[in-house]
Amino acid sequence: MNAPATTELPVVVIGAGPAGLAAAAHLVDRGLTPLVLEAGPVAAAAVREWSHVRLFSTWGEVVDPAAEKLLAPTGWVKPDAATYPSGGDWAERYLQPLADVLGEQLRFGATVTGVSRAGRDRIVDADRDAQPFVVHIAHADGREERLFARAVIDASGTWTTPGPAGGSGLPALGEKAASDRITYRVPDLKDPAVRARYAGKRTAVIGSGASAFTALAHLADLAATDDGAGTKGVWILRRGISGSTFGGGAADQLPARGALGLAAKAAVDDGHADAVTGFRTDAIEREADGRLVLVGEDGRRLDPVDEVIVLTGLRPDLSFLSELRLGLDERLQAPTALAPLIDPNQHSCGTVYPHGVNELSHPEKDVYLVGMKSYGRAPTFLAMTGYEQVRSIAASIAGDQEAAERVELTLPETGVCGGAGLFDDPEAAEGAEGGGCCAAPATLQIGAPATVSGGC
């Protein structure tokens, strides 16, 4: 295997979503050559899957500056900065034009199956850092290919690996067998077929973040319509309800985010959803009529439901990185230097300081996890954070360490403060309001969809 000189090689970016395309834009701005590998058939393939969901961040907060600079010569006009895009808007009006500008620097239908050092498996030390990366790809038509890279930026996200219903982190007993009545996404209730599935039905919603808020609000809206009479939500929480359960409300510096939590609260207050607290799902059993019964670890059996919506967060797929020496936190599967900033065992309000190449570096030089994937299993992420990450990394790869270490981001506050480590203790959560306030600007998701679960 004869690899070319490392400096002549492109920087491989895995994933053509918001973070991956922004990474490519910053690399181009630095005079470097990106090669973006996207498993899907189009740019922003994952974003398009939640195209029906409106972001709670404005256009002004979800367009990367380097990307905007790259788009400007094409005549692209930035949408009204004060308006809120849907996922579909974000994909069609920004991410797709950005992909078009990058042109041949993107490859679609290209699934990365492995990354290593050329001629060096995970064990070998000798001359390791001097070797380029080797990237194995499986194409949609069945072909296999091997590429070389000077650096690798993994922006593949976590969308394809949602968390299960089971309270232990493993699928509940019977969860797979009941898959015909379970979804791990916020349903598009404007789609007639999907609407018919939930209209007039009793649906369990498992989760306590932005995704769950969205699902509860949508079900409540359906219940208020003529064809949705009888629609009922059952909100399954692993902890109790406290003052911070529904987010920061009017105190949130992102008004649409605060409103989302208030809409979920209204769904409960108006009787469109019942809350079940301190419930960890252990099993899902099917009744003779096809309905499902959720059984808790404590033996509780809930009344049967027709459908289950599981929104318990997302997790990274690290399988294709197994030959690299990654430094990952044992709890979150996030870079070890970043993990303390985002660990929900320590922070209940999502405090995250702006961070870049220093927090995202690994024992394996020049490989980075960015965007949603950089947070591992942590439930809070924002697009602006991802843009700052890739700006810093591109500067570092280009040799501009001063720019790489400079902070160019100010984060909005969520309006949520609470005690740390209380997420799974219903009784403690009841008294958590006002305790353990965070000193730095707090963040939840900005520019990430409400379909991605935020909060614990």
Side-chain angles (χ1 to χ4, degrees), residues 61-332:
E61 295 156 333
V62 297
V63 173
D64 175 77
E68 187 173 358
K69 178 180 176 181
L70 193 61
L71 283 164
T74 70
W76 180 80
V77 177
K78 183 177 180 178
D80 183 348
T83 61
Y84 295 87
S86 66
D89 295 333
W90 202 21
E92 290 299 330
R93 300 179 64 186
Y94 165 60
L95 298 172
Q96 185 60 56
L98 180 55
D100 293 341
V101 171
L102 291 167
E104 294 183 356
Q105 293 170 316
L106 271 73
R107 297 189 187 179
F108 300 107
T111 300
V112 174
T113 58
V115 182
S116 187
R117 289 281 187 178
R120 306 288 189 275
D121 64 19
R122 185 181 180 128
I123 299 174
V124 179
D125 288 336
D127 201 29
R128 185 177 187 88
D129 286 353
Q131 304 305 313
F133 291 96
V134 59
V135 182
H136 284 212
I137 304 167
H139 291 277
D141 61 6
R143 290 182 299 113
E144 291 184 310
E145 185 180 5
R146 182 178 63 210
L147 300 174
F148 296 100
R150 64 182 294 177
V152 175
I153 299 174
D154 182 357
S156 59
T158 55
W159 179 252
T160 60
T161 47
S168 63
L170 300 173
L173 297 179
E175 183 170 346
K176 293 180 181 178
S179 62
D180 60 317
R181 296 205 174 202
I182 300 176
T183 183
Y184 299 85
R185 314 295 187 201
V186 174
D188 181 3
L189 298 182
K190 293 182 180 179
D191 182 314
V194 176
R195 189 179 184 87
R197 177 174 174 176
Y198 295 94
K201 304 293 179 58
R202 181 178 170 87
T203 299
V205 177
I206 305 176
S208 60
S211 298
F213 293 168
T214 303
L216 289 166
H218 287 185
L219 290 172
D221 289 343
L222 178 58
T225 64
D226 291 339
D227 65 323
T231 302
K232 185 77 172 184
V234 182
W235 190 16
I236 311 298
L237 292 144
R238 293 173 182 171
R239 55 177 174 141
I241 293 180
S242 71
S244 63
T245 297
F246 300 99
D252 196 319
Q253 289 187 355
L254 293 175
R257 181 173 57 192
L260 187 60
L262 295 178
K265 185 177 187 300
V268 175
D269 292 345
D270 295 343
H272 295 308
D274 296 327
V276 178
T277 60
F279 190 92
R280 293 174 174 272
T281 305
D282 183 62
I284 299 176
E285 300 177 357
R286 192 185 293 269
E287 298 276 85
D289 61 3
R291 292 191 299 167
L292 303 179
V293 173
L294 274 59
V295 183
E297 291 180 350
D298 57 3
R300 277 189 289 170
R301 299 173 61 87
L302 303 185
D303 292 338
V305 295
D306 300 286
E307 300 285 342
V308 178
I309 302 173
V310 180
L311 302 167
T312 56
L314 303 157
R315 52 187 60 177
D317 176 9
L318 300 167
S319 60
F320 60 89
L321 303 176
S322 62
E323 289 305 315
L324 298 177
R325 299 175 176 181
L326 301 181
L328 298 175
D329 179 75
E330 67 273 13
R331 294 177 296 277
L332 301 184

Side-chain angles (χ1 to χ4, degrees), residues 18-97:
L21 293 174
H26 280 278
L27 291 167
V28 169
D29 192 49
R30 286 281 177 176
L32 301 172
T33 302
L35 178 59
V36 183
L37 304 175
E38 167 59 45
V42 293
V47 174
R48 295 173 194 272
E49 292 192 24
W50 49 269
S51 61
H52 59 290
V53 177
R54 188 160 300 281
L55 278 71
F56 48 71
S57 293
T58 64
W59 273 112
E61 295 156 333
V62 297
V63 173
D64 175 77
E68 187 173 358
K69 178 180 176 181
L70 193 61
L71 283 164
T74 70
W76 180 80
V77 177
K78 183 177 180 178
D80 183 348
T83 61
Y84 295 87
S86 66
D89 295 333
W90 202 21
E92 290 299 330
R93 300 179 64 186
Y94 165 60
L95 298 172
Q96 185 60 56

